[in-house]
Amino acid sequence: MPEVIVAGGGHNGLTAAAYLAKAGLDVEVLEGKEELGGGVVTHEATLPGFRHDLHAIAHIFIHGNPMISDDELGLLSRHGLRYVHPDPSMSVVFPDGDFIAFHRDVHKTAETIAAISRPDAENYLRFHEFASPLLDMLLPAFFAPPAPMGALLSQLDSTETGQEMIRVLMMSYLDVCREWFEHPKVIAALTRWVSELLIAPEEGGTGAFLLMMVPFIHRYGMGYVETGSGALTDALVASITEHGGRIRTGAVVRRFLFDGDRVSGVELTTGEELRAERAVVANLNIKQLPEMTGDRFGADWRRKVERIKPVGFGLLAGHLALSEAPVFTAGEHAGAAGFQEITAPLPDLLRAFDKLKYGEPIHSIPSIAVPSVWDPTRAPDGKHTLYLLSYAPTELAEGDWDSRKEEIFDRVFDTFCAQTTNMSADKVLARVVHSPLDSARFNAAWPGGDPGHFGCQLFQFLGYRPLPNMGYRLPAKGFYLVGPSTHPGQGVTGGARAGARVVLEDLGYDFAKVVGTP
């Protein structure tokens, strides 16, 4: 009998298991699919030799995680994980060729803003100076159990700068952009960037992300994993097995078992029951749990879970094998970024988000990554992989995703080609398109195809994610939740480090001694 069962082998479940195994606990990971990693996987999805990250491709916030920055699990030093960091990390490009390039150096970034608006170049430097202290405050807590929301707000409210930050936390990121910047293109570019939250720009309680993303991109940049995102999964698996942990794939958890007020194990869809001696950790969407726990937590708890608000829209992703790399019309500087995000002038940008609310597809603001430029292992010599992403309604107002995804993606591809001097359909050797419906089918924990589980507005972020001041403890002894449903939320963050810390401390371990020096 293992001491701890981890249900779900996505990158967060593996992260939690790796820390627990390093502490010396007997850990068993159960993954329902035949492949580990959740969305952190790399496949030859188009042609042999072309390695595509199916979902997670750009690794950003994980670089502030001590799991990586201090190599706590030896992923870098012992298990072969390597990153390449493009600089600039990203450029936001307008159809007319104007752009803003986000360099590690904030002053270089301001220089590109100055080509559009010199006053806003100064405003950007001021905003970076204003936001950096909040990052200093939040980042150590980003990968640790979050403080109660009231305590955080009380701390902020004690200073004039903190009070201003509270205002921003409660605002929409569009309103924050409009307060700090003047030029419509600068506002549009920053709005487009932060829209990666999959929440419309006017939605309140999202201003924190502009506060965090601006200083973070300059402090840590963005990384591609060499050979593909799946190498992070492989390194986590190696860390688990190094410390004696076990992993089973094809083990679908149907429900959780209880002995009195304590969780005791799981039942698989095969009928097999597996017991855990000390704890069960669920790397699942919290909305899956009412059915998997037999409603033992009561109607009020179910109601609180059901009212959690989803994201505003989904993703339409294309994975393409190219005969050559794209050359961007915006110029070498914009094209040299690790990621290109196409935006539109502000009125058109906001209209695009409005269309998504009503189930209408859009094609005008795709995201573009050609990781093989930075990591040649991802494609045969002279060839390249393209990741082309568009926001999309979760459900279409007309038709369905299975019948329309190729046609809708063709328009996204045309927008991409218009931003280059050399791209056309004849440069595509093969392609695979995944709709929001495909993503939902890919992972049972992704309702509507959302790998982040649900939205991250302030009322369900920090200490209020997924429920106010729940932390990682579910309403049964020894029962824990990790993954995007919990703090710090969506993306490739290794955020389950914080949940693993709670488990270890509850079991009597000193987390500082566990992480030590790898």
Side-chain angles (χ1 to χ4, degrees):
M1 178 189 300
E3 291 178 277
V4 181
I5 287 175
V6 177
H11 101 277
N12 276 293
L14 296 175
T15 295
Y19 278 99
L20 298 175
K22 183 176 180 180
L25 287 163
D26 181 8
V27 179
E28 184 166 6
V29 179
L30 305 175
E31 167 56 40
K33 301 178 72 172
E34 295 299 332
E35 181 179 31
L36 296 163
V40 186
V41 292
T42 304
H43 288 182
E44 291 186 341
T46 54
L47 294 170
F50 290 85
R51 298 176 58 80
H52 302 271
D53 291 338
L54 292 192
H55 298 282
I57 183 169
H59 296 202
I60 299 176
F61 281 100
I62 196 170
H63 298 292
N65 188 333
M67 181 176 84
I68 297 298
S69 62
D70 296 340
D71 199 23
E72 289 176 338
L73 298 174
L75 304 183
L76 302 169
S77 59
R78 293 199 303 280
H79 301 306
L81 183 65
R82 295 183 299 276
Y83 279 96
V84 58
H85 296 274
D87 191 16
S89 298
M90 177 187 66
S91 59
V92 181
V93 180
F94 288 87
D96 63 5
D98 280 351
F99 69 92
I100 296 173
F102 290 86
H103 292 264
R104 291 289 292 275
D105 186 329
V106 65
H107 294 280
K108 286 185 178 180
T109 302
E111 288 173 10
T112 70
I113 296 174
I116 297 173
S117 168
R118 188 159 294 280
D120 275 343
E122 293 300 319
N123 290 336
Y124 188 82
L125 294 174
R126 288 176 48 245
F127 185 81
H128 178 264
E129 183 178 1
F130 167 72
S132 290
L134 182 65
L135 184 64
D136 292 335
M137 179 186 300
L138 291 181
L139 191 59
F142 213 61
F143 306 107
M149 187 71 80
L152 173 64
L153 295 178
S154 178
Q155 180 183 359
L156 290 173
D157 200 39
S158 64
T159 68
E160 185 175 347
T161 299
Q163 291 165 357
E164 182 63 20
M165 287 181 176
I166 291 175
R167 284 189 68 253
V168 172
L169 291 174
M170 294 180 178
M171 296 166 66
S172 73
Y173 60 90
L174 175 61
D175 283 339
V176 178
C177 288
R178 283 173 163 161
E179 273 199 356
W180 278 85
F181 301 97
E182 304 173 12
H183 198 286
K185 281 189 171 179
V186 177
I187 296 170
L190 292 170
T191 298
R192 170 64 182 87
W193 178 26
V194 185
S195 68
E196 293 173 7
L197 300 172
L198 305 186
I199 298 173
E202 301 96 334
E203 181 110 28
T206 57
F209 289 92
L210 185 66
L211 275 181
M212 292 179 64
M213 291 168 74
V214 166
F216 197 98
I217 203 72
H218 298 299
R219 193 173 301 183
Y220 294 98
M222 181 271 286
Y224 288 125
V225 180
E226 290 189 13
T227 75
S229 283
L232 172 60
T233 294
D234 294 342
L236 287 166
V237 169
S239 177
I240 293 167
T241 56
E242 175 189 29
H243 293 104
R246 300 180 304 284
I247 298 171
R248 283 181 60 180
T249 57
V252 182
V253 175
R254 176 164 56 199
R255 67 187 183 100
F256 294 96
L257 305 175
F258 298 87
D259 183 4
D261 61 356
R262 172 173 289 276
V263 67
S264 59
V266 301
E267 179 187 290
L268 305 183
T269 53
T270 60
E272 180 183 2
E273 293 187 356
L274 302 171
R275 302 288 172 171
E277 185 178 336
R278 305 187 70 182
V280 174
V281 179
N283 176 34
L284 300 169
N285 191 318
I286 191 172
K287 292 195 173 187
Q288 295 175 277
L289 296 184
E291 298 301 325
M292 299 176 74
T293 57
D295 268 342
R296 69 175 286 118
F297 300 151
D300 186 57
W301 190 82
R302 176 188 274 268
R303 180 183 61 81
K304 290 176 181 178
V305 170
E306 289 177 344
R307 74 186 183 188
I308 293 171
K309 188 172 181 178
V311 292
F313 43 88
L315 299 169
L316 178 67
H319 307 283
L320 295 85
L322 300 179
S323 60
E324 63 187 62
V327 178
F328 290 93
T329 56
E332 185 176 348
H333 193 177
F339 231 90
Q340 287 78 31
E341 293 190 342
I342 309 304
T343 191
L346 196 57
D348 292 337
L349 178 65
L350 298 181
R351 290 187 190 103
F353 287 107
D354 286 340
K355 287 183 178 180
L356 294 172
K357 297 176 185 177
Y358 301 104
E360 299 178 34
I362 63 173
H363 60 87
S364 57
I365 55 171
S367 297
I368 302 161
V370 189
S372 51
V373 169
W374 302 94
D375 175 14
T377 68
R378 295 181 182 231
D381 289 346
K383 306 296 192 297
H384 288 276
T385 57
L386 169 65
Y387 178 78
L388 184 57
L389 186 72
S390 178
Y391 299 149
T394 301
E395 295 183 5
L396 292 168
E398 297 183 8
D400 60 78
W401 275 116
D402 284 340
S403 63
R404 294 196 62 195
K405 68 179 180 181
E406 298 291 343
E407 159 240 324
I408 293 170
F409 186 79
D410 283 341
R411 299 184 69 192
V412 177
F413 181 74
D414 288 344
T415 298
F416 159 68
C417 291
Q419 294 297 317
T420 73
T421 63
N422 65 329
M423 286 288 105
S424 58
D426 62 356
K427 302 297 175 65
V428 179
L429 304 175
R431 83 179 194 188
V432 172
V433 178
H434 293 148
S435 71
L437 179 58
D438 292 322
S439 294
R441 290 167 175 158
F442 177 83
N443 194 316
W446 297 358
D450 173 23
H453 293 186
F454 47 85
C456 48
Q457 302 91 330
L458 184 60
F459 58 82
Q460 47 195 31
F461 188 57
L462 298 170
Y464 270 36
R465 189 176 186 92
L467 301 174
N469 301 325
M470 181 190 111
Y472 304 90
R473 299 178 181 91
L474 290 163
K477 292 180 180 178
F479 198 17
Y480 301 88
L481 181 69
V482 298
S485 284
T486 63
H487 172 78
Q490 64 187 16
V492 184
T493 66
R497 175 188 189 270
R501 176 174 170 175
V502 169
V503 177
L504 288 169
E505 290 177 350
D506 283 357
L507 297 181
Y509 290 80
D510 184 330
F511 187 73
K513 290 182 178 179
V514 170
V515 295
T517 301

